[in-house]
Amino acid sequence: MTIHLAMKEHGDTAPTVLLPGDPYRARFIAEKFFHSSRCINQVRGMLGYSGTYQGHAVTVLGTGMGVPSMAIYATELIREYGARTLIRVGTCGGIQEQVRVGDLILAQAAGTDSAFNTHIFGGRDFAPTADFGLLSSAWNMAGAMGFKAHVGAVFTTDLFYHDDPEFFQIWKDHGVLATEMETAALYTVAARYGARALSILTVSDDLLSRQSVSSDDRETAFMGMVELALSTAFAAP
Ligand code: HPA
């Protein structure tokens, strides 16, 4: 038991953990993809489940939104419950012309406006980076599974709502593919404790054309992303 998680028994948490932002998505993933799943956490409504996928032990846990929430769950999962492979399955807003709603982003790196890393590194920069084994497996599998995927940097922002129409411009100018709110924290915490991490993101909004994915397409894209995440988790060296 930790401050934010209720798991007690050794083995309640698998070494491989999927991390959607929305706790109801965690329940949905467990119901649709896991065999013999059981609820392992309900503290703060942050639903978590463990079960098996094609014979492999696996856990899914909601993270909530934003850097501090992701950092709390990732830290407790790795440090206290032995998580070794953490894959975020979330959404993002595209900020490049070639990135369309429904595409997948494999986040190679994450810049951020969060103070998280400047606190940790005493004002200096850190480069939060995906695990290369997971990234290359996900890239190869996305191709084999017929997904349109992009590999590149994302912008992890603390601001979902903001007033500045130029907010994303400098990131766009530097080739950043999309914006979301958790990946920099996941990659930094994984680096700190020697775990492997990857964010796989569905482009739910195109922030240039202001298009959003329809709810049917959102569902299809989400299912594909989870399949890719699970295949990646158990294929990578
Ligand atoms: N901003 C931040 N996070 C997001 C967005 C966005 O526009 N879309 C999906 N996740």
Side-chain angles (χ1 to χ4, degrees):
M1 203 134 130
T2 52
I3 294 175
H4 305 94
L5 292 170
M7 294 86 85
K8 280 194 213 75
E9 306 289 319
H10 184 72
D12 266 356
T13 314
T16 298
V17 185
L18 295 197
L19 299 167
D22 178 352
Y24 290 121
R25 289 282 189 188
R27 185 172 67 194
F28 181 82
I29 289 169
E31 283 170 357
K32 294 277 182 210
F33 291 92
F34 291 7
H35 287 290
S36 33
S37 80
R38 61 192 190 285
C39 186
I40 55 164
N41 189 66
Q42 298 191 63
V43 176
R44 289 177 183 249
M46 201 56 79
L47 300 173
Y49 298 83
S50 285
T52 61
Y53 175 76
Q54 295 182 350
H56 303 281
V58 62
T59 290
V60 62
L61 177 72
T63 63
M65 291 174 281
V67 161
S69 190
M70 169 61 89
I72 285 168
Y73 292 111
T75 300
E76 292 184 18
L77 280 168
I78 299 171
R79 212 167 61 179
E80 313 298 334
Y81 295 105
R84 305 305 307 149
T85 297
L86 296 90
I87 303 184
R88 162 162 154 71
V89 282
T91 57
C92 63
I95 56 170
Q96 296 289 341
E97 275 79 13
Q98 76 274 22
V99 171
R100 301 284 161 81
V101 291
D103 291 357
L104 290 180
I105 303 287
L106 308 178
Q108 184 175 22
T112 187
D113 58 11
S114 162
F116 186 72
N117 278 330
T118 47
H119 284 319
I120 294 171
F121 293 92
R124 295 179 285 270
D125 280 344
F126 176 68
T129 310
D131 176 80
F132 183 70
L134 289 176
L135 179 62
S136 64
S137 281
W139 171 250
N140 291 329
M141 277 189 196
M145 293 165 89
F147 295 124
K148 189 172 165 220
H150 308 264
V151 175
V154 299
F155 169 37
T156 298
T157 183
D158 281 349
L159 301 183
F160 186 88
Y161 298 110
H162 53 82
D163 297 324
D164 180 1
E166 297 288 294
F167 188 59
F168 302 110
Q169 191 61 43
I170 193 69
W171 301 88
K172 179 176 188 295
D173 292 346
H174 286 75
V176 170
L177 300 176
T179 179
E180 53 84 70
M181 303 183 77
E182 293 82 19
T183 295
L186 174 62
Y187 288 0
T188 299
V189 171
R192 172 66 183 82
Y193 298 109
R196 5 181 252 169
L198 176 67
S199 276
I200 303 179
L201 307 165
T202 300
V203 180
S204 58
D205 313 279
D206 179 341
L207 301 181
L208 306 180
S209 69
R210 299 188 179 278
Q211 270 186 309
S212 289
V213 76
S214 71
S215 57
D216 280 359
D217 289 351
R218 186 181 288 253
E219 198 69 27
T220 311
F222 181 75
M223 297 293 278
M225 174 172 62
V226 173
E227 255 170 64
L228 176 62
L230 287 165
S231 308
T232 299
F234 299 115

